[in-house]
Amino acid sequence: MGLLLLCNGFFMILAAAVSGIYNDGATLDITLAAIVTMMIGVLSMFYTRGHVKEVKPKEGYLIVTFGWVVMSISGTFPYLFSGAIPDVTNAFFETMSGYTTTGASILDDIESLPEGILFWRSLTHWIGGMGIIVLAIAILPLLGIGGMQLFAAEAPGPSADKLHPRITDTAKRLWLIYVGYTVAETLLLKLAGMSFFDAINHSLATLSTGGFSTKNASMAYWNDQPLIQYIVIFFMFLAGANFVLSYFAFKGKIQKIIKDEEFKFYTGFVVLFTVIVALVVYYKANVPVSDYHPMVLGAEESSFRHALFQIIAVITTTGFVTADFTGWTPFLSIFFFGLMFLGGSAGSTSGGIKVMRHLLIIKNGLLEFKRTLHPNAIIPVRYNDKTVKEHIVYNIIGFFVLYMLLFIIGALVLGFLGLDFESAIGGAATSLGNVGPGLGSLNPLSNFNDLPVMGKWWCGFLMLAGRLELFTVLIILTPYFWKKI
């Protein structure tokens, strides 16, 4: 955790440098936040230097969960020290939303914030996107600590793909791809007409599937510049796909991508859902004429672009918005609410249940028909032409049940705190799935500022549980975890 705080402090120094370049008045405050964070990190490492450096599964879960909490607490310092968000609850909510790449905000006027604070806000997304733990395990071996347990706790999903036998090399390759995509999108957005500051911030938010924008209107600010939105769409799609597939693409192993079942369904869902939404938007919803661009086809192109953008933004849990999709039609409000439970691919930076889990649950469900007709037959679930081990299927079913149970409890708590039905189920779904915009009073044109104090802390817990895929957080709340065996 001390090492993570040092990393956090380093990123704060980057934000302070940006603040200094733009002379926004927050440079000293962010620098002070960085110094305090790094001092706590150094002291933590100093006082624990003599302890046994062995990370077992239990320690892995504790380090990951408390590591995220500690990072989120220290991440509030730039907001608090600068006065950008003076309230502790609001600052913690914004920071947790950043690190978990949820993108839900309590800010009413984003554009009035200093550039250094806006950059820090985007950096919290970027750090959390690939996982602050995955970043750290590339460095932990230098301290004589193995990182496999941390990686397992950080990414406990069903995908076991590794690019390299050594976990540290895997982390380095993932980060190289991550950084490369971020640089590429920044350059393309700059060439398409964004300012460099907006381009880098939106790239940080896109590749992390976060959704924090530098504009109050989010990506709707550029509704009259389709090229910018299509660039963001492309990189949101990449961020929602398994990063291992990106590695295969760079190695020229295209067949592995084509044959990957999850990628085929992920792409198929995007295409099918975009067609459905585009048709409904074109024939039933009113897309503002101001959204049309003189160089494109008018209503048809605008309907398609808004549909494609919002479908990918919700499926990948990025949360950028170009329009209030909850105001299009009642059918589409329910449709997008359902998509909040889909999620991107395993091995991506997106949240949600993940396409792979849905795919394996459906396959197992369909095979139950065969098993009923042939009770003595052994009919395994197959994925990518390989048999899926039974314990993995049980794990996925258990995850799905826990996810839906936590969603119901989450909505009940928000309802108990005073939210109406639509806002409560929307707030629980978007927080747990790390999506960003919700329904009702938490719709894409609103924010989470009016939530009661306890509601913000509760949504923060749901964000953390969802980002770490439930088991990592919930397991430490069980009495069994603390028993000595």
Side-chain angles (χ1 to χ4, degrees), residues 29-80:
D29 300 318
I30 302 173
T31 304
L32 182 61
I35 293 170
V36 171
T37 301
M38 295 177 85
M39 283 179 64
I40 296 172
V42 170
L43 289 173
S44 300
M45 294 179 74
F46 177 78
Y47 281 110
T48 58
R49 68 191 186 283
H51 287 261
V52 178
K53 296 174 180 177
E54 182 182 1
V55 181
K56 295 177 181 177
K58 276 191 176 183
E59 286 82 358
Y61 289 118
L62 285 169
I63 290 170
V64 170
T65 302
F66 287 109
W68 279 77
V69 173
V70 167
M71 290 287 280
S72 296
I73 292 171
S74 66
T76 64
F77 294 165
Y79 297 129
L80 295 172

Side-chain angles (χ1 to χ4, degrees), residues 407-429:
F407 159 67
I408 293 168
I409 294 171
L412 285 172
V413 171
L414 291 176
F416 177 77
L417 292 172
L419 273 69
D420 61 86
F421 174 75
E422 196 176 359
S423 301
I425 62 170

Side-chain angles (χ1 to χ4, degrees), residues 225-363:
Q225 294 177 267
L227 180 58
I228 286 176
Q229 294 186 347
Y230 281 122
I231 291 170
V232 173
I233 285 170
F234 175 72
F235 282 97
M236 280 196 296
F237 181 82
L238 287 180
N242 193 329
F243 270 72
V244 174
L245 297 182
S246 291
Y247 178 78
F248 289 150
F250 291 126
K251 296 288 286 185
K253 299 177 181 178
I254 306 300
Q255 283 299 316
K256 283 201 172 188
I257 301 171
I258 296 171
K259 291 179 180 178
D260 186 78
E261 282 191 61
E262 184 182 37
F263 184 74
K264 285 190 284 189
F265 274 87
Y266 169 61
T267 307
F269 284 149
V270 168
V271 173
L272 175 62
F273 296 155
T274 299
V275 170
I276 293 171
V277 174
L279 289 173
V280 176
V281 169
Y282 182 71
Y283 287 106
K284 295 289 185 181
N286 294 317
V287 179
V289 176
S290 61
D291 287 356
Y292 303 156
H293 191 268
M295 300 303 291
V296 293
L297 299 176
E300 294 87 352
E301 187 278 337
S302 188
S303 299
F304 169 77
R305 174 162 41 92
H306 282 299
L308 178 61
F309 192 101
Q310 292 307 155
I311 285 293
I312 293 183
V314 174
I315 286 179
T316 62
T317 71
T318 306
F320 280 140
V321 292
T322 59
D324 180 12
F325 54 79
T326 63
W328 282 342
T329 67
F331 166 76
L332 288 183
S333 292
I334 299 169
F335 190 84
F336 277 104
F337 173 70
L339 290 183
M340 290 180 186
F341 294 89
L342 182 55
S345 305
S348 70
T349 58
S350 62
I353 294 174
K354 303 290 193 300
V355 173
M356 181 186 286
R357 286 196 179 95
H358 285 288
L359 185 57
L360 292 176
I361 289 171
I362 292 168
K363 281 190 172 191

Side-chain angles (χ1 to χ4, degrees), residues 311-455:
I311 285 293
I312 293 183
V314 174
I315 286 179
T316 62
T317 71
T318 306
F320 280 140
V321 292
T322 59
D324 180 12
F325 54 79
T326 63
W328 282 342
T329 67
F331 166 76
L332 288 183
S333 292
I334 299 169
F335 190 84
F336 277 104
F337 173 70
L339 290 183
M340 290 180 186
F341 294 89
L342 182 55
S345 305
S348 70
T349 58
S350 62
I353 294 174
K354 303 290 193 300
V355 173
M356 181 186 286
R357 286 196 179 95
H358 285 288
L359 185 57
L360 292 176
I361 289 171
I362 292 168
K363 281 190 172 191
N364 187 62
L366 293 174
L367 286 179
E368 283 300 320
F369 293 119
K370 289 185 179 181
R371 292 170 185 147
T372 303
L373 292 171
H374 307 284
N376 295 322
I378 298 173
I379 308 171
V381 178
R382 299 185 69 81
Y383 174 78
N384 281 344
D385 297 324
K386 295 179 181 178
T387 299
V388 179
K389 293 179 181 178
E390 204 172 48
H391 74 89
I392 292 178
V393 177
Y394 290 150
N395 176 284
I396 289 170
I397 293 171
F399 176 89
F400 186 79
V401 171
L402 275 176
Y403 194 96
M404 298 310 295
L405 186 62
L406 191 54
F407 159 67
I408 293 168
I409 294 171
L412 285 172
V413 171
L414 291 176
F416 177 77
L417 292 172
L419 273 69
D420 61 86
F421 174 75
E422 196 176 359
S423 301
I425 62 170
T430 195
S431 297
L432 191 58
N434 307 133
V435 180
L439 304 177
S441 61
L442 306 177
N443 68 69
L445 298 185
S446 186
N447 60 32
F448 286 64
N449 192 33
D450 291 333
L451 272 181
V453 171
M454 287 306 299

